[in-house]
Amino acid sequence: MKILVCISKTPDTTAKIAFADNNTKFDTAGVQWIINPYDEWYALVRAIELKEAKPDTVLHLATVGGADADPIIRKALALGGDEAFRINLDGADCYQVAYQLAQLITKGGYDLVLTGKETIDYNGSSLGGMIAGINDLAYVSLATQLEISDNKAIVTREIEGGEEVCEVAFPLVISAQKGMAEARIPNMRGIMAARTKPLSVIEPVAQDPLTTVTAFELPAPKAGVKLVAPDQVDELVRLLHQEAKVL
Amino acid sequence: MSVLIVIDTAEGVVKKSAFETLSYGADLAAQLGVNAIGLLLGATSEEAGSLGQYGIKKIVQANPDQPRADDPTVLADLVSKVAANEQSQVIVFSHSLSGKAIAPIVSAKTKAGLVTGVVELPNTSNGFIVKRAVFSGKAFSHVRIDTPIKLISVNPNSYKINTGGAPATLETISLPAAASRINITKRQKSSNELLLTEAETVVSAGRGLKGPENWGMIEELAKVMGAATACSRPVADAHWRPHNEHVGQTGVAIAPTLYVAIGISGAIQHLAGVNRSKVIVVINKDPEAPFFKAADYGIVGDAFEVVPALTAAVKKLKGV
Ligand SMILES: Cc1cc2nc3c(=O)[nH]c(=O)nc-3n(C[C@H](O)[C@H](O)[C@H](O)COP(=O)(O)OP(=O)(O)OC[C@H]3O[C@@H](n4cnc5c(N)ncnc54)[C@H](O)[C@@H]3O)c2cc1C
C-alpha cells in the first residue's frame, strides 16, 4: 500500500498574532514554526502506525511551500516516512495548494491520502475535500479512527450528534482529527535518519488561486473583567441576567 | 440569479446551524437583489415550508423519497446540479461537520472559490469580500472571491436568526444520484444531547476539577443553564472526558453566547478556541490565572464551593 501524508507548516501555538504591511500580511518576525498539529499528531502518526504494522507500506510526505518549509518536513521525516516531496510554491489559497498535491497524487498512485482536519493558522478545513474533488477520490472528513482490513479502510468519522463507522475502498482521502493516534516525540535515531531520507523539490504546475486575502484584522480588546466575591453568586447571576442578558 | 442555501439536516431534522445559514442567505439575497432558495438534500421529517420564517421564499427538496446520502461527493454533486438549475451565483453552507465535508468538493468540482468560517455578510460594494475567523479565532481576515460563482460557509453561532417570514413554497425534484463510495456499518449517538458548536451556553471545566469523579457538579450546572459541556485539552487527554468535548486551538472552536470556564488556567491555546464567545465567565481559585484577562465576569474562588452555589442561584432565577 502507498500512503501520502500532507504536511503544513504553521506558526507555533504561542506565536504572537500580528500583521504587517498595513494589515495585509501575517507578521512572521520572531515566529517559531511547527508542523501543523493535526497533520503531525493524527495524520502522520496514524500513517506511521500503519507502516509499523505492515512494513512493506510505502509512506511519503508532501508539503507545498518555499525552502523555509524544509526544516518542517525534515522534522516530520524524523517521526517517520520513507521520503518527502516539497512542491516549491507559496500557496495563495487552499485550492491552489490542493491542485498541486492532486497532481502529485495522480502521478504517485497513492491508495490513501491523509491530511489534518484543518491548519491552526487559516483554519480552512478544506484541503482534503478539495483534493478528493479534483481527483474524484472518495472522501471521509473528520475521522477519529482508521483501520485497514481486506484492502479497504474502516473509518470512524464524527457526524452531527455522534459518530459513524464506514467502509471505503481505496483510493481515498481522509482528514484526521483527535482520537486517530497519540502524539509522538521524535527520537535521536529518527532525527539522524531524517537527514538522509530523500526530500525532492518539485516545481509547481500553473494554477491561479480562486480567492485573495485583502486584509487582516485583530478582534477588539475586552473591556476588562468584573469580579464578584465568591459568596456573592446571586450577584453574578443577576449581572448575567440583567446586564449581559445571557441568562 | 439566486443565492442557494444548503440546509444541514441530521436524520431528517433541520439543524440550528441551518436556521443561521438560511437567515444569512436570505439577507445576502436581499443585499444582491436576487432570490434566496433553500436546498434540502433527501428526506426530512419536518414540514419544509415553515423554513420560510427565516426569510426564504422557496425551498427545493432534492430526492425527498430517499434518505440523505452518506457520501459527501454524492451530496456535492446534487448541490452543483441544483445550483446550475437555479443559476445560483452564491452557495451558502454551514461551517458544520457536513458543510466541511461537502463545500470543498463542490469548490473543486466547479472551480468556484470557497471561503469557510465566515462571520459576517460580504462587502459587495467592490467585488465580493467576506470576513472570516483565522488563527483559531485570534484574528479575522477579509477574503475576496475571484470566481463568478462564490461559495461560503458560515461559522455556527455567528449570524442572527431571522423570524417571522411567510411560509416558503416547496418544490421537489428527482435527480440521479451517483453511487455512494461510503458504506456505513454503524452509527452511534453521542451522550451529549446538545451539539457543542451550536450551544448558546457552554459550561467547561479543566484540570482544576482534580478528577473525572467531580464532573457531576459541572453536568448539574450545565443542565440548569441548558448548556453543553466542554473541557480543556489535558482533561480529554487523560480521558476524564470524551475527545469531542476538548475545546481550543487543537480541539473544537466554539462561539457561544455564554462560556463558563471552571478550573481552567486560560492558556493561549485554550483561549484561541473560545475567545469568540460573547460573554466569558471565569471561576478559578488563582487570581493570577491568565483566563481573567480574557473574561467579562469572574469569581476568584474554589470551584467546589462556587459551582454548587451557582447552580442553586441559577435554579432560583429560573424558578426550578
Ligand atoms: C501545541 C499545543 C496545543 C494545545 N491545544 C490546546 C487546546 O486546544 N485546548 C486546551 O485547552 N489546551 C491546549 N493546550 C494545552 C494548554 O497549553 C494548557 O496546558 C491547558 O489548556 C491547561 O489546561 P487546564 O487549564 O485545564 O489545566 P491547568 O493549566 O493545570 O489549570 C488548572 C487551573 O485550575 C485552577 N484550579 C485548581 N484547583 C481549583 C479549584 N479548586 N477551584 C478553582 N480553580 C482551581 C488553577 O488555578 C489553574 O488555573 C495545547 C498545548 C500545546 C503545546
Side-chain angles (χ1 to χ4, degrees):
Chain A
M1 189 166 68
K2 235 180 138 178
I3 304 178
L4 183 75
V5 179
C6 304
I7 300 284
S8 177
K9 156 179 160 272
T10 53
D12 178 71
T13 52
T14 57
K16 182 173 181 322
I17 305 303
F19 302 103
D21 294 358
N22 205 11
N23 284 331
T24 57
K25 282 198 174 64
F26 176 54
D27 185 355
T28 56
V31 169
Q32 302 276 333
W33 299 89
I34 58 169
I35 309 170
N36 178 45
Y38 292 108
D39 306 346
E40 177 186 339
W41 300 347
Y42 309 125
L44 177 58
V45 174
R46 186 66 193 127
I48 292 167
E49 288 171 356
L50 292 173
K51 185 176 164 78
E52 285 166 352
K54 249 179 137 263
D56 63 343
T57 302
V58 175
L59 175 54
H60 290 171
L61 318 183
T63 193
V64 177
D68 54 350
D70 285 345
I72 295 300
I73 200 93
R74 288 267 177 229
K75 252 192 204 160
L77 282 169
L79 284 162
D82 305 311
E83 64 174 287
F85 302 94
R86 175 170 64 79
I87 301 169
N88 191 23
L89 171 78
D90 261 324
D93 79 347
C94 187
Y95 183 81
Q96 198 183 32
V97 169
Y99 192 85
Q100 303 302 327
L101 291 164
Q103 311 312 308
L104 179 74
I105 289 158
T106 303
K107 275 204 206 105
Y110 295 96
D111 304 294
L112 174 63
V113 177
L114 285 164
T115 74
K117 77 158 183 173
E118 64 185 67
T119 57
I120 61 165
D121 48 6
Y122 296 114
N123 310 108
S125 327
S126 304
L127 186 79
M130 284 191 180
I131 292 172
I134 293 165
N135 283 0
D136 196 26
L137 301 170
Y139 180 46
V140 181
S141 56
L142 303 164
T144 54
Q145 281 177 55
L146 165 65
E147 302 296 336
I148 308 288
S149 144
D150 294 339
N151 229 8
K152 58 181 184 265
I154 299 165
V155 198
T156 306
R157 70 172 172 185
E158 190 185 357
I159 54 166
E160 257 92 24
E163 48 179 41
E164 59 190 19
V165 182
C166 54
E167 294 182 356
V168 194
F170 298 117
L172 85 153
V173 183
I174 295 176
S175 79
Q177 63 167 336
K178 193 162 186 168
M180 188 63 106
E182 300 281 341
R184 288 187 181 186
I185 298 164
N187 57 28
M188 210 48 198
R189 225 179 83 218
I191 294 167
M192 297 304 287
R195 291 193 187 158
T196 53
K197 285 180 184 174
L199 166 54
S200 323
V201 178
I202 302 173
E203 285 311 311
V205 284
Q207 173 60 54
D208 286 335
L210 308 180
T211 62
T212 311
V213 174
T214 59
F216 289 100
E217 182 186 324
L218 288 171
K222 284 260 177 187
V225 61
K226 218 177 233 186
L227 287 178
V228 176
D231 54 358
Q232 301 280 307
V233 285
D234 282 327
E235 173 60 5
L236 176 66
V237 168
R238 190 195 66 78
L239 286 167
L240 292 176
H241 182 59
Q242 288 177 2
E243 188 179 77
K245 298 190 167 59
V246 293
L247 200 67
Chain B
M1 299 295 230
S2 67
V3 171
L4 185 70
I5 302 110
V6 180
I7 301 173
D8 266 3
T9 57
E11 293 179 331
V13 179
V14 177
K15 305 295 295 179
K16 180 189 156 216
S17 54
F19 309 159
E20 291 177 41
T21 39
L22 285 164
S23 304
Y24 182 102
D27 293 352
L28 173 57
Q31 179 179 325
L32 298 172
V34 300
N35 289 327
I37 302 166
L39 172 60
L40 283 167
L41 299 163
T44 45
S45 51
E46 284 163 83
E47 216 277 287
S50 68
L51 296 171
Q53 63 180 295
Y54 308 111
I56 301 286
K57 302 232 160 39
K58 175 171 145 186
I59 303 284
V60 172
Q61 185 166 17
N63 300 339
D65 46 351
Q66 294 164 26
R68 183 183 167 107
D70 298 313
D71 185 337
T73 305
V74 175
L75 294 169
D77 186 48
L78 294 176
V79 171
S80 306
K81 281 181 178 139
V82 174
N85 280 349
E86 301 290 346
Q87 302 186 339
S88 307
Q89 79 242 62
V90 185
I91 309 178
V92 181
F93 299 85
S94 298
H95 195 48
S96 57
L97 301 174
S98 80
K100 285 175 187 176
I102 306 169
I105 302 177
V106 177
S107 169
K109 295 240 181 209
T110 59
K111 274 208 173 192
L114 166 67
V115 178
T116 58
V118 168
V119 295
E120 277 175 13
L121 283 175
N123 180 340
T124 49
S125 61
N126 180 16
F128 191 101
I129 299 178
V130 274
K131 181 173 169 179
R132 68 184 299 260
V134 288
F135 295 100
S136 312
K138 290 179 208 167
F140 298 99
S141 69
H142 297 262
V143 188
R144 192 181 63 227
I145 306 183
D146 298 315
T147 52
I149 293 177
K150 281 114 176 115
L151 309 184
I152 52 185
S153 71
V154 181
N155 246 351
N157 283 351
S158 326
Y159 200 75
K160 191 179 82 354
I161 296 173
N162 292 338
T163 52
T169 58
L170 176 65
E171 221 176 270
T172 57
I173 168 171
S174 285
L175 290 169
S180 174
R181 288 180 285 195
I182 293 180
N183 177 21
I184 307 292
T185 54
K186 200 165 123 193
R187 189 166 280 153
Q188 220 165 1
K189 272 208 163 99
S190 83
S191 50
N192 287 351
E193 280 160 40
L194 253 175
L195 196 60
L196 187 52
T197 47
E198 289 187 358
E200 294 276 344
T201 307
V202 173
V203 172
S204 186
R207 209 148 52 177
L209 270 272
K210 312 275 189 285
E213 66 280 6
N214 295 325
W215 248 263
M217 64 177 190
I218 300 298
E219 282 172 346
E220 174 84 32
L221 176 62
K223 200 170 144 212
V224 301
M225 293 184 109
T229 48
C231 68
S232 66
R233 178 175 154 216
V235 164
D237 282 354
H239 304 290
W240 294 0
R241 299 295 293 175
H243 284 321
N244 57 17
E245 284 198 4
H246 159 191
V247 291
Q249 190 157 15
T250 54
V252 182
I254 54 172
T257 309
L258 173 61
Y259 183 72
V260 184
I262 301 159
I264 303 177
S265 57
I268 187 165
Q269 298 94 352
H270 184 87
L271 295 180
V274 303
N275 61 7
R276 286 189 306 111
S277 308
K278 282 177 200 80
V279 172
I280 294 179
V281 175
V282 169
I283 299 166
N284 196 303
K285 69 173 185 191
D286 175 10
E288 302 296 320
F291 221 143
F292 284 116
K293 290 201 181 67
D296 299 283
Y297 300 95
I299 292 183
V300 179
D302 184 345
F304 294 94
E305 286 160 24
V306 175
V307 173
L310 183 56
T311 305
V314 176
K315 271 190 182 159
K316 199 162 81 190
L317 174 80
K318 301 209 163 173
V320 290

